Amino acid sequence: MSAIVVIGGQWGDEGKGRVVDLLAEKAHIVARYSAGNNAGHTVINELGEFALHLVPAGIFYPDKVCVIGNGVVIDPPDLLKEIEDLESRGVSVRGRLFVSDRAHVLMPWHRLIDQLDEKLRGKGAIGTTGRGVGPAFVDKVARAGVRVADLIEPESFLQLLSFLIPYKNAVLEKLYDTPGLALEDVRAEYAEYGERLAPFVADTSVLVQDALAAGETVLLEGAQGALLDLDIGTYEFVTSSVPSSLAAGAAIGIGIGPTQIGTVLGVYKAYNTRVGNGPMPTELLDATGDMLREGGPRPEYGATTGRPRRCGWFDAVAARYSARANGLTAAALTRLDVLDRLPAIKVCTAYRVGGRVMATMPASSLDLARAEPVYQEFPGWNTDTSSVRRFEDLPAAAQSYVRYIQEALATPLCLVSVGPEREQAIRLKHII
Ligand code: IMP
């Protein structure tokens, strides 16, 4: 059996957690392979509402193995809090949640530097989640990171800190004019986290490879979205994950080869949202934008920071661009029901930049910032779709809209969601 990757096709928050939660039923392992606790998945089930930042959404199925892969950055206090919250609400975690010994650890200076750096950038601020994830990936690439294997090994941890603390303190004091950190305080606090995390630590690539060799299904869940990717996203307003959250990053971030990935499923929202700064050609700063943000059963506020999401029409240029960059073999469309009450719905089919009409995304952030969307308008359906379970039961206008998006993505849709509950979905094709 090969692995299935689920990625976000826009700027994150497309509902990957919801799709993974549905697919997890048939998987043996559900794994995260990139990013850190900047990501946020909201899952609603019979136990209540959960905002997961590091633990894969498969955790709610008691027979699934969940893996946090080598490509993820772990924030130990946050991960431990998430584990405690799950356990206190009746979700078993021990013996089926495994954290890669090669994953990097988010250290206290990363969060500090993230926030100080945003201030230093002034008008050029990225609008990060402030969790420290960017600086942690910078340190990974700069070969100045701490890995889980070091965190749980007291001697190796002390040795690393003896080098890193004076180094990072110089940066904090000289560049950011901020007091440095005391080695012993950091060591004591993080050594305790290390002890508590040790039972979860494993060489997770072996776990995943063994499962694949045994014919099991492995579900790899991406974080954020393709348009926030360091390479193909709207640079510099992107996230810093290495490997990226694109489908191609999944193999690296979990420790398998690209030939072991068989299915790439892209998740798209029926409109667009973005949190943080950076260009978003279809953004609506009017009552329709407010309606998209507030009109659905789950208003559009960031799962990690609570920031209001910027909302706008579906951008088919960006969607096609990300579908191709990920080599999608299937797609899911979420939150169709949020459009139920709109009299008309627009889709951006091209950008007008200066005198040119562009059918793909420009690399220059200035060009993207001044891109004017060329819209195609669709009639609304003014019907509640939240209880629809079969495509043919959708109003004709909604069917046309969904078909149009499928054509724009040039990828078969396997699922359309019409509400936040697990069963509020129209399944078009089974991919597992
Ligand atoms: P960072 O990942 O915290 O460095 O933030 C970089 C950019 O990515 C900012 O625009 C964030 O708002 C955005 N971002 C990071 N994680 C997520 C996510 O899970 N969903 C949506 N946007 C995100």
Side-chain angles (χ1 to χ4, degrees):
M1 190 51 101
S2 57
I4 297 168
V5 186
V6 178
I7 60 101
Q10 294 152 318
W11 278 288
D13 309 315
E14 300 88 353
K16 294 176 292 294
R18 187 198 191 308
V19 172
V20 168
D21 182 54
L22 273 175
L23 296 177
E25 199 176 352
K26 301 237 177 83
H28 177 66
I29 293 185
V30 184
R32 273 277 306 273
Y33 63 85
S34 70
N37 57 337
N38 48 352
H41 277 169
T42 305
V43 177
I44 303 171
N45 57 30
E46 56 288 353
L47 296 172
E49 183 175 325
F50 294 83
L52 299 180
H53 298 285
L54 284 161
V55 176
I59 202 72
F60 298 106
Y61 292 92
D63 57 331
K64 308 300 172 205
V65 172
C66 289
V67 166
I68 301 179
N70 53 278
V72 179
V73 160
I74 313 283
D75 184 345
D78 266 23
L79 176 57
L80 286 162
K81 214 177 332 125
E82 226 167 280
I83 292 172
E84 269 168 21
D85 181 46
L86 286 164
E87 284 184 326
S88 72
R89 293 166 72 185
V91 181
S92 82
V93 174
R94 270 155 224 277
R96 61 189 200 91
L97 173 68
F98 297 98
V99 179
S100 168
D101 46 9
R102 289 177 174 81
H104 277 247
V105 180
L106 198 143
M107 297 300 292
W109 54 84
H110 293 135
R111 200 178 274 247
L112 268 174
I113 291 174
D114 195 351
Q115 292 164 8
L116 291 164
D117 205 58
E118 282 284 87
K119 268 199 213 121
L120 200 64
R121 291 178 74 113
K123 283 202 177 108
I126 304 297
T128 72
T129 57
R131 293 292 189 273
V133 174
F137 279 114
V138 169
D139 275 353
K140 173 179 178 178
V141 177
R143 297 158 296 181
V146 174
R147 296 188 304 163
V148 168
D150 306 312
L151 179 74
I152 62 169
E153 215 310 303
E155 201 182 320
S156 142
F157 189 47
L158 178 61
Q159 215 174 63
L160 249 183
L161 285 185
S162 309
F163 150 64
L164 286 175
I165 294 265
Y167 173 34
K168 290 295 160 187
N169 281 352
V171 173
L172 286 171
E173 287 158 9
K174 293 183 185 151
L175 180 59
Y176 296 105
D177 201 16
T178 295
L181 299 155
L183 189 150
E184 183 45 29
D185 291 352
V186 176
R187 192 208 59 77
E189 183 183 348
Y190 278 73
E192 196 235 310
Y193 297 146
E195 245 174 66
R196 288 165 59 200
L197 281 177
F200 297 96
V201 176
D203 182 342
T204 51
S205 71
V206 171
L207 271 177
V208 172
Q209 285 171 6
D210 286 351
L212 289 171
E216 312 274 17
T217 299
V218 174
L219 199 52
L220 302 173
E221 63 175 279
Q224 289 104 32
L227 303 177
L228 284 171
D229 175 65
L230 203 48
D231 278 86
I232 78 133
T234 50
Y235 193 86
E236 66 282 15
F237 299 100
V238 293
T239 187
S240 303
S241 202
V242 179
S244 85
S245 301
L246 296 180
I252 300 169
I254 208 69
I256 60 173
T259 49
Q260 288 171 289
I261 295 174
T263 301
V264 179
L265 169 59
V267 185
Y268 291 80
K269 210 178 270 191
Y271 47 96
N272 268 43
T273 62
R274 174 168 199 166
V275 270
N277 304 334
M280 177 181 173
T282 62
E283 182 172 15
L284 293 169
L285 299 167
D286 58 10
T288 309
D290 293 344
M291 150 75 208
L292 290 173
R293 185 178 310 104
E294 310 290 342
R298 297 199 32 76
E300 293 282 8
Y301 290 84
T304 301
T305 58
R307 289 180 288 178
R309 294 179 184 143
R310 301 158 61 192
C311 297
W313 297 122
F314 188 86
D315 184 339
V317 179
R320 188 167 44 234
Y321 169 79
S322 78
R324 295 177 76 173
N326 280 289
L328 298 189
T329 59
L333 189 69
T334 60
R335 294 200 181 220
L336 183 71
D337 55 301
V338 175
L339 305 180
D340 282 352
R341 297 289 161 216
L342 291 172
I345 295 153
K346 292 183 185 173
V347 172
C348 167
T349 57
Y351 301 142
R352 200 166 280 122
V353 185
R356 283 179 304 156
V357 173
M358 298 185 70
T360 189
M361 286 192 96
S364 146
S365 50
L366 189 65
D367 277 352
L368 198 58
R370 62 185 179 196
E372 287 168 37
V374 175
Y375 284 121
Q376 176 164 341
E377 191 170 304
F378 292 78
W381 42 91
N382 200 23
T383 308
D384 179 0
T385 58
S386 64
S387 53
V388 175
R389 300 292 174 266
R390 297 185 322 159
F391 184 75
E392 52 274 29
D393 294 337
L394 279 174
Q399 289 188 21
S400 305
Y401 184 71
V402 171
R403 274 206 196 91
Y404 182 88
I405 288 178
Q406 177 169 265
E407 272 162 37
L409 297 173
T411 307
L413 282 169
C414 64
L415 186 117
V416 177
S417 84
V418 287
E421 306 295 332
R422 203 178 255 173
E423 69 282 1
Q424 288 184 295
I426 301 167
R427 287 169 187 261
L428 301 168
K429 187 175 143 221
H430 287 284
I431 66 156
I432 302 185

